[in-house]
Each structure stands twice: as C-alpha cells, then as structure tokens.
Amino acid sequence: MSADLDPVVYLNGEWGPLSEARIPVLDRGFIFGDGVYEVVPLYATPQGRAPFRLTQHLARLARSLGKIRIDNPFDDAGWRTLIAQAIDANRGEGDALVYIQVTRGVAKRRGHAFPAGITPTVFVMVNPLAFPTDASRAQGARAVTAEDKRWLHCDIKSVSLLGNVLMAQYAAENDALETIQLRDGLLTEGSSSNVWIVKGGKLFGAPRGPRILEGIRYALVEELAAEAGIDFEEREITEAELRDADEIMISSATKEVMPITVLDGEPVGDGRPGAVYAALYDAYQRAKARELADWALHAK
Ligand code: PDD
C-alpha cells in the first residue's frame, strides 16, 4: 500500500501503519461517539509540511476535552512534539492534514455514564489533502440548504457526527459541495464548515455559541476582513438574508475560504465569486505565507 494510503499513525503511545492500528470495540468512541477531534491543515513548504494555526487548534482541542470532561492527555508542548513526530513520520510532497482524536477510553462493559479509572484513547494520523483547485475557486461551488437537526452542543468538536454526516451525504446526493443548515429560519453553519454572507460590501457571520462549531477560521476570517478593510458583523442571519446575499462563502481547514455561487439551484448574486471573497482569499494566502515562514524559522 502507498504511504499516502497507509500512513504511519500514533495510537496510545505506539507508532505503526494505519492498516494495523486497532482499538477494542468497547472504546467509548466506537460505542458512544464519546470523544473529540481536531483537523489541522498542513501545507507543503520547502522545509516539509507545516501546520497552520496550530496554537488555535490545540486550544480548541483543550476546550472540547474540557467540555466533555476528559483530562487532556498532553500539554501544549506534548501535543506539538507528537504532531511534529507525525509529520516527520509521514514526509511527502503535497499538502496534508493532521487528524487528532481523543476518546474517553476503553470501558470494561457498556454503560452510558463515565466509567471510573479510564485512560483516554489518543489517535493521530496524517492524511494527504487536496485543497480546492484554482479552477473550482474561479467557478465557485454549489450548496444546498437543510434544517439543522443537530443537538445544541455544536460548539464541541465531537466525533458524534451523525447529523453532519447526513447533511454531507445530502449535499453529495444533490451534486453540491456543502449543505448550509438553518435552525428555525436562522443560518447556523455548513455540515463541515462555517458560512459567511456578504451584503452591500459588508461581511456577516452567524453568532458564535452552542449552535455552531467556532472554526479556527472564524477568528481568522475576522482578522482577514479587518486587514482587507471589510466591515464585519457577527449576528443572526435570516434565511431571507441568506437567499438575498450578494456573496456566500464557507470556511474550513480543508477548504480555506471557498465561494458558494449556487444555492439550492439559484445563482448567488451574479453567480460568480465576489470581490469580498477575492479579498479574503488573498488575505488568507498572505496570512498563511507569514505563518509558514515563521514555522520554518522556528521549527527546525
Ligand atoms: N470541520 N463547522 C463544522 C461543523 C465543522 O466540521 C468545521 C470543520 C468547521 C470549520 O472549522 P475549522 O475552520 O476549524 O476547520 C465548522 C473539519 C474540517 C472536519 O470535520 O473535517
């Protein structure tokens, strides 16, 4: 199997091929979806793959763990070492991502409440990643809408992703990149992204809180908007505002910022990626270049 398909992964202190990694079936992640995860983008640089916004991803992982009362198995330095080792063990040409998962651990028997004296399961893998191509960015992506039926702890980056999985499948079956969710007529987020709209040159994002996962790109997009001189407001966005937007875009570790040019089969604005998207995308690339140069300077 190629190294890309069978990366060297970390599982509970051991390194080995993904194809040989095993967890017991009573792992709480398997039985209850009782765990959290992170996805950190890795960009190819001349010095090797470098993470982007790692500090922020590790802080969110710590917050997610805290919210479900799992003791963080590593401190910041411990995670950084582990991630650097995972990158080293999976040297490759292209861009990639680091996937980190921590579950409550393996129970002795099935029972919903937390078992006593349990050790968290820690899993880390590097996967190759293809960011959207220039051609797909130039065209923009299609999205569909659906009612958000998830629970009210969407701020936890939980591995219990059934709601998100069903929404992603709905997008796939409707020839769309993403499903944009609405709860009681208000925009929440995509199945695996945050959603932004533009009206009259101003950028709007749905409020942070338990109804969305605050992406690491949420604060980043805010920063980029400030840098580009674009007004930003965090507030409730109605379905009518979504449908009437001049521009819609999504953001995530794997899509960066990506324009949505067709919503439920209707063109968004003039049906082409807009000026605010273009300015944010440029600012994103500059922020990335700055941070990756910094990583190359300090990491080695
Ligand atoms: N998902 N909202 C949801 C529900 C998400 O799953 C994600 C990312 C985001 C954006 O977060 P960030 O900017 O930190 O990537 C928002 C990742 C990529 C995933 O599950 O694969």
Side-chain angles (χ1 to χ4, degrees):
M1 230 185 283
S2 83
D4 274 358
L5 285 177
D6 202 17
V8 176
V9 303
Y10 173 93
L11 180 62
N12 294 332
E14 308 278 335
W15 293 90
L18 175 62
S19 57
E20 288 170 24
R22 299 280 181 270
I23 53 152
V25 292
L26 283 182
D27 190 283
R28 301 271 303 189
F30 178 69
I31 288 282
F32 291 119
D34 184 359
V36 297
Y37 74 107
E38 272 300 323
V39 175
V40 187
L42 295 180
Y43 290 94
T45 78
Q47 288 79 28
R49 290 167 166 166
F52 181 52
R53 298 272 145 155
L54 180 57
T55 304
Q56 292 82 348
H57 280 281
L58 292 179
R60 184 173 63 188
L61 176 62
R63 285 199 302 277
S64 294
L65 286 166
K67 285 175 182 175
I68 67 166
R69 293 155 63 194
I70 293 179
D71 286 340
N72 197 334
F74 295 104
D75 61 11
D76 199 67
W79 280 117
R80 283 173 186 276
T81 303
L82 196 53
I83 288 162
Q85 288 171 335
I87 293 171
D88 261 358
N90 294 281
R91 287 168 191 239
E93 291 294 303
D95 301 320
L97 60 83
V98 182
Y99 177 84
I100 304 167
Q101 178 169 332
V102 181
T103 76
R104 198 171 303 281
V106 182
K108 292 202 173 55
R109 62 189 64 79
R110 182 176 177 278
H112 291 62
F114 306 166
I118 189 167
T119 308
T121 297
V122 179
F123 174 60
V124 177
M125 74 176 162
V126 171
N127 286 165
L129 173 63
F131 287 100
T133 60
D134 289 346
S136 68
R137 294 188 168 284
Q139 189 173 9
R142 301 161 62 87
V144 287
T145 58
E147 180 68 19
D148 192 338
K149 295 181 178 156
R150 299 173 303 161
W151 70 336
L152 292 170
H153 293 292
C154 297
D155 53 319
I156 302 171
K157 200 161 171 65
S158 159
V159 295
S160 305
L161 284 174
L162 191 51
N164 307 64
V165 164
L166 294 175
M167 288 293 103
Q169 182 61 20
Y170 180 68
E173 285 169 1
N174 286 282
D175 191 26
L177 180 68
E178 183 61 303
T179 299
I180 294 178
Q181 301 171 97
L182 294 147
R183 196 189 282 274
D184 302 327
L186 299 173
L187 171 66
T188 56
E189 62 179 346
S191 67
S192 59
S193 63
N194 291 120
V195 177
W196 310 86
I197 72 161
V198 176
K199 192 68 193 175
K202 188 167 171 180
L203 180 70
F204 298 88
R208 293 168 167 96
R211 295 180 310 159
I212 68 166
L213 178 78
E214 183 186 337
I216 297 310
R217 268 129 291 275
Y218 199 112
L220 176 61
V221 166
E222 266 186 306
E223 280 170 49
L224 303 177
E227 186 185 319
I230 297 159
D231 271 355
F232 168 69
E233 194 181 343
E234 175 181 344
R235 69 150 166 82
E236 298 293 4
I237 297 161
T238 65
E239 177 166 359
E241 287 175 315
L242 174 71
R243 298 198 186 282
D244 190 41
D246 301 331
E247 298 181 37
I248 299 175
M249 63 197 106
I250 59 171
S251 65
S252 76
T254 54
K255 302 288 184 297
E256 302 185 317
V257 284
M258 179 75 191
I260 300 298
T261 46
V262 178
L263 184 69
D264 291 334
E266 299 293 325
V268 176
D270 66 4
R272 287 178 302 177
V276 171
Y277 158 72
L280 290 175
Y281 183 69
D282 281 354
Y284 197 112
Q285 301 313 311
R286 287 195 299 273
K288 201 167 85 185
R290 283 195 300 269
E291 190 172 314
L292 298 186
D294 212 43
W295 168 266
L297 215 60
H298 295 105
K300 303 282 154 180

